[in-house]
Amino acid sequence: MKPNNPPVIEVTFWGTRGSVSTPGRITEKYGGNTPCVSVRVDGSVIIFDAGTGIRNLGLELLGQGKDNGRPLSLHLFLSHTHWDHIQGLPFFQPIYEKATELTIYGSPKKGKFLESILKGQMDLEYFPIGLSQLEAALTIQEISSRAIRIGPMIVDWQEQHLHPGGSVRYRISIGTKRLVYATDVELDLLFDENGDPEQKKKQLNEYLDFIRGADLLIADGQYSESEYPSKKGWGHTSVPVLMALAQEAEVKQVAVFHHDPQHSDAFLDELWRKYRKDVERAGRVVTVFWAREGMTLAI
Amino acid sequence: MTIKAQNKIIVENSALSETLPVVVPARVYELAVDYCAYLEMRSKGEDIKRIPLDKKESIIGRASSCGIRIEAPTVSRVHAIIKYMNEEYIIEDMDSTNGTFVNGVRVKKCVLRDNDQIQVGQVSLLFVEEKVRRSW
């Protein structure tokens, strides 16, 4: 890297599917693993969510660790603890290595509950190895109002109330570059006729400010417009609402994420063709795509 | 336990002793499938060019050393590489000037799927993965 060049952010999708993993031929293009995204800058690694996709990330990290002989220092940020966002953790191979340091961050709203939830899914009834038996040095940390610095990355966050049980969105900043990870939120409810209009306006402005000008927004877009009415209250956003908000906030690139388990590759291709045209016609968002497992972007 | 008889495979399993042996026609071998992949390149006034991806690694670029040589000014000397790993084709940009795109998204790396549209510089390529029948 030349001295004055801003560092490149490498973003890899390891799992893009929502709710439950969906292996099979009709989902192999966009992928069947549940949410996991890695972000690397100059050797620092941040991971968003520990869905089943984290298993493959673990294997790659260990392979690279063997190549360069350096211990792994990893930072895992959980959007929330619904099953599809934590289920891969027991299968994340680096946690069984002494040379790994892993810090897991999650919402302070859960209090000490975060640790007990993660312990819970590794109780003997569910898994043969307990959380306290791991070889890696593990720290579980609730996020506070202060931003967190990891290498050159600064991570801040906001609570998302529009999901059953709540969730957290994160933003990584490096110089002028911004990346936002905002999954599992039902933004359509901000435009619903029910509820306090002032409260909704406040939440909408908070969201728009948070994503404004992002170089990449990884966002929940689980439902098509026609599907949404029958899924109202399930905690996920419809694609047209996501597109409208991303355009308003002048986001440069949108990765539609948390694909519905019922959506085949052919169906997602169809959504991409339809909504991409709409967005291009409006001419404000540079790129819209449906996130694919096995895809790495350099930002 | 599997016994290969003349044109037949007889699967015997003592745990299923009350069932009859399963007879599988040897024809299954002829139906075995494999995959082959290639790139299609369309240029003005020329027939579609088919570039087979039959090596573990194929480098795309302007340089004469590249396996897939494309002499276009927007293509870097060494632009991208397509690797075959774990039965998948993966394209990786090699710090090219004008970037590597898959279906319009600028990527550093991407697992390729049938009908993906690749763009290197201003050159468009179609990735095609076909199932082929092999007889053993």
Side-chain angles (χ1 to χ4, degrees):
Chain A
M1 195 184 75
K2 289 171 192 167
N4 293 324
N5 279 359
V8 174
I9 309 172
E10 275 193 13
V11 183
T12 302
F13 296 98
W14 298 94
T16 59
R17 189 68 50 175
S19 310
V20 68
S21 60
T22 56
R25 283 168 66 176
I26 61 165
T27 54
E28 68 175 14
K29 178 174 177 179
Y30 292 92
N33 279 307
T34 55
C36 179
V37 176
S38 66
V39 182
R40 296 181 211 215
V41 183
D42 290 350
S44 299
V45 182
I46 281 179
I47 305 162
F48 290 125
D49 280 332
T52 59
I54 202 170
R55 192 182 72 85
N56 282 331
L57 168 61
L59 297 176
E60 183 171 293
L61 288 170
L62 285 181
Q64 288 167 352
K66 273 178 195 149
D67 291 345
N68 63 28
R70 285 203 297 260
L72 289 172
S73 174
L74 307 170
H75 301 268
L76 168 61
F77 289 82
L78 297 175
S79 63
H80 62 314
T81 53
H82 279 169
W83 215 1
D84 49 331
H85 297 259
I86 60 168
Q87 201 178 16
L89 190 60
F91 303 93
F92 184 48
Q93 205 59 36
I95 62 177
Y96 302 101
E97 301 288 330
K98 272 188 180 155
T100 302
E101 286 176 10
L102 173 66
T103 309
I104 303 177
Y105 305 85
S107 168
K109 274 195 165 180
K110 294 204 182 327
K112 285 188 178 170
F113 206 40
L114 176 62
E115 187 167 348
S116 68
I117 292 167
L118 296 177
K119 262 188 184 155
Q121 79 157 350
M122 292 179 80
D123 270 356
L124 196 57
E125 287 82 0
Y126 306 109
F127 198 72
I129 302 163
L131 194 70
S132 56
Q133 294 172 280
L134 303 179
E135 294 284 338
L138 184 69
T139 309
I140 297 176
Q141 189 178 319
E142 291 148 19
I143 44 183
S144 66
S145 57
R146 289 174 59 186
I148 297 164
R149 178 178 273 278
I150 294 162
M153 298 182 265
I154 296 168
V155 187
D156 65 343
W157 63 281
Q158 276 180 352
E159 289 284 354
Q160 300 186 128
H161 305 283
L162 303 172
H163 189 73
S167 64
V168 175
R169 56 178 165 253
Y170 295 101
R171 176 170 58 188
I172 295 177
S173 306
I174 304 175
T176 57
K177 291 184 185 179
R178 301 274 183 279
L179 183 157
V180 176
Y181 180 78
T183 190
D184 291 65
V185 60
E186 189 171 346
L187 297 170
D188 299 60
L189 293 179
L190 294 173
F191 306 97
D192 189 64
E193 58 197 17
N194 300 319
D196 176 3
E198 283 307 308
Q199 182 66 18
K200 283 194 287 191
K201 195 177 167 189
K202 184 173 169 271
Q203 286 184 20
L204 174 63
N205 288 334
E206 278 175 4
Y207 179 75
L208 290 172
D209 287 344
F210 198 77
I211 67 168
R212 195 168 304 286
D215 295 272
L216 176 63
L217 167 65
I218 302 167
D220 184 337
Q222 184 161 339
Y223 304 129
S224 67
E225 191 173 9
S226 59
E227 286 171 323
Y228 177 72
S230 64
K231 315 281 186 183
K232 193 175 165 186
W234 291 23
H236 300 286
T237 300
S238 71
V239 180
V241 166
L242 169 61
M243 294 299 144
L245 294 177
Q247 285 179 77
E248 188 166 341
E250 298 182 337
V251 167
K252 298 185 183 89
Q253 203 166 199
V254 182
V256 181
F257 191 72
H258 206 275
H259 310 317
D260 191 277
Q262 293 301 105
H263 289 176
S264 66
D265 290 336
F267 187 80
L268 294 178
D269 279 345
E270 209 176 289
L271 291 181
W272 173 67
R273 277 191 287 270
K274 179 184 183 312
Y275 289 111
R276 191 188 189 197
K277 269 187 201 154
D278 292 349
V279 168
E280 280 172 357
R281 222 171 280 137
R284 282 157 75 181
V285 175
V286 172
T287 311
V288 172
F289 63 98
W290 266 247
R292 272 167 68 161
E293 200 174 308
M295 177 184 259
T296 300
L297 311 180
I299 295 166
Chain B
M1 186 180 176
T2 304
I3 301 165
K4 197 171 173 184
Q6 204 176 17
N7 286 334
K8 304 243 188 259
I9 298 168
I10 300 169
V11 180
E12 287 186 345
N13 188 335
S14 57
L16 298 171
S17 58
E18 288 180 12
T19 63
L20 293 171
V22 178
V23 179
V24 184
R27 198 158 51 87
V28 290
Y29 284 114
E30 291 163 22
L31 294 176
V33 292
D34 200 355
Y35 291 87
C36 80
Y38 55 87
L39 299 174
E40 274 187 7
M41 187 163 71
R42 292 160 194 261
S43 307
K44 271 184 190 168
E46 286 179 32
D47 290 339
I48 297 170
K49 203 175 187 179
R50 185 182 278 202
I51 306 161
L53 295 168
D54 50 5
K55 296 183 177 63
K56 274 202 152 182
E57 294 187 349
S58 306
I59 295 176
I60 303 170
R62 272 191 297 115
S64 56
S65 57
C66 293
I68 301 173
R69 193 175 175 202
I70 302 174
E71 290 182 73
T74 54
V75 174
S76 294
R77 284 181 52 74
V78 178
H79 196 110
I81 185 167
I82 296 179
K83 295 177 186 172
Y84 184 67
M85 282 171 70
N86 299 327
E87 298 191 17
E88 296 199 299
Y89 290 89
I90 298 163
I91 192 163
E92 193 171 344
D93 184 76
M94 297 180 83
D95 297 325
S96 67
T97 306
N98 294 312
T100 299
F101 296 75
V102 175
N103 299 333
V105 182
R106 188 169 183 163
V107 298
K108 172 72 185 153
K109 198 172 172 181
C110 190
V111 176
L112 293 172
R113 300 293 179 203
D114 187 34
N115 266 320
D116 274 340
Q117 294 169 48
I118 300 167
Q119 201 180 320
V120 286
Q122 284 178 17
V123 174
S124 296
L125 303 159
L126 183 70
F127 174 78
V128 183
E129 196 171 21
E130 274 183 353
K131 229 192 270 181
V132 289
R133 294 201 187 285
R134 300 240 192 262
S135 54
W136 292 17

